[in-house]
Amino acid sequence: TQLLEQSPQFLSIQEGENLTVYCNSSSVFSSLQWYRQEPGEGPVLLVTVVTGGEVKKLKRLTFQFGDARKDSSLHITAAQPGDTGLYLCAANFGNEKLTFGTGTRLTIIP
Amino acid sequence: KAGVTQTPRYLIKTRGQQVTLSCSPISGHRSVSWYQQTPGQGLQFLFEYFSETQRNKGNFPGRFSGRQFSNSRSEMNVSTLELGDSALYLCASSLGLAGERYTQYFGPGTRLTVL
């Protein structure tokens, strides 16, 4: 059974600060996606990374795929209240299913 | 283009009853996946349908079943409800199979409460 562990589970920081959340697995995955989910809504895809070592930027969000393809990180610069939400990573382990991580609940305090 | 719609949005049932949830995918999408989301277990994959055929299945008991119609709309059914089935049930649609890296678009979910 492939598991995706996210850390931290909860994170509460002041507006303007920087933060990093992590997604780790003991198994290699072929691709990884990051989603954000807001209350009362379904997850929304932020990015897909497929190449080991790949870095993608989406405005103030930077996504990195580990060289060994077992981990990924999401870094947010100058966090804003609109960044508040549940961040989920989801991996494809080559078995035609998406496995979701445990989630990081982020709160940005104005 | 309209997004994924799920009905009903909220549902309250009692133990032992059965329930049917509905999902209408984005027009042109042929794959529909279902997920269960709970605070303790997170988001877990139930099953995926593509062109009316179940293509993948998660580790859930046989009480959980689904189907897909020729217009790609999908339903999932849970029989003999248990308290632990209380959850947010999410539907996601995509042009192709989720495992082939097609982007999944999620609906807002159906919040099921079992009393």
Side-chain angles (χ1 to χ4, degrees), chain A residues 1 9 30-31 33 35 37 40-45 48 50 69 86 88 92 95-102, chain B residues 9 35 37 42-43 45 48 55-59 88 90 97-109:
Chain A
T1 302
Q9 188 176 357
S30 58
S31 66
Q33 300 176 336
Y35 291 81
Q37 184 178 18
E41 299 180 11
V44 175
L45 179 67
T48 299
V50 298
R69 309 171 70 89
L86 177 66
L88 295 160
N92 184 322
N95 57 1
E96 296 190 335
K97 303 176 192 177
L98 270 187
T99 299
F100 278 81
T102 49
Chain B
R9 290 293 310 276
Y35 295 86
Q37 188 174 33
L43 218 155
F45 172 76
E48 180 177 20
R55 295 298 298 266
N56 291 296
K57 190 177 189 301
N59 298 321
L88 181 67
L90 292 161
L97 292 172
E100 295 179 358
R101 301 179 194 169
Y102 285 94
T103 298
Q104 289 193 301
Y105 296 86
F106 282 82

Side-chain angles (χ1 to χ4, degrees), chain A residues 28-75:
Chain A
V28 172
F29 33 78
S30 58
S31 66
L32 187 115
Q33 300 176 336
W34 283 94
Y35 291 81
R36 180 171 67 216
Q37 184 178 18
E38 299 184 20
E41 299 180 11
V44 175
L45 179 67
L46 296 173
V47 76
T48 299
V49 286
V50 298
T51 305
E54 183 177 4
V55 177
K56 282 192 173 179
K57 292 192 174 185
L58 184 66
K59 296 183 181 178
R60 294 176 294 101
L61 279 61
T62 301
F63 304 86
Q64 186 154 8
F65 197 7
D67 291 337
R69 309 171 70 89
K70 292 183 178 181
D71 60 277
S72 180
S73 64
L74 158 59
H75 182 80

Side-chain angles (χ1 to χ4, degrees), chain B residues 4-77:
Chain B
V4 177
T5 58
Q6 293 187 244
T7 57
R9 290 293 310 276
Y10 302 92
L11 204 50
I12 300 175
K13 292 285 188 179
T14 56
R15 279 181 298 174
Q17 288 187 308
Q18 75 166 18
V19 66
T20 299
L21 311 181
S22 181
C23 172
S24 292
I26 292 172
S27 178
H29 285 193
R30 297 171 65 189
S31 172
V32 172
S33 297
W34 288 90
Y35 295 86
Q36 181 195 65
Q37 188 174 33
T38 60
Q41 298 297 318
L43 218 155
Q44 293 186 291
F45 172 76
L46 281 158
F47 28 66
E48 180 177 20
Y49 285 86
F50 183 83
S51 294
E52 303 179 63
T53 302
Q54 187 181 90
R55 295 298 298 266
N56 291 296
K57 190 177 189 301
N59 298 321
F60 279 81
R63 299 185 298 107
F64 292 81
S65 63
R67 59 178 176 168
Q68 186 180 33
F69 302 95
S70 58
N71 62 359
S72 294
R73 190 177 69 85
S74 177
E75 290 181 345
M76 69 162 281
N77 183 277

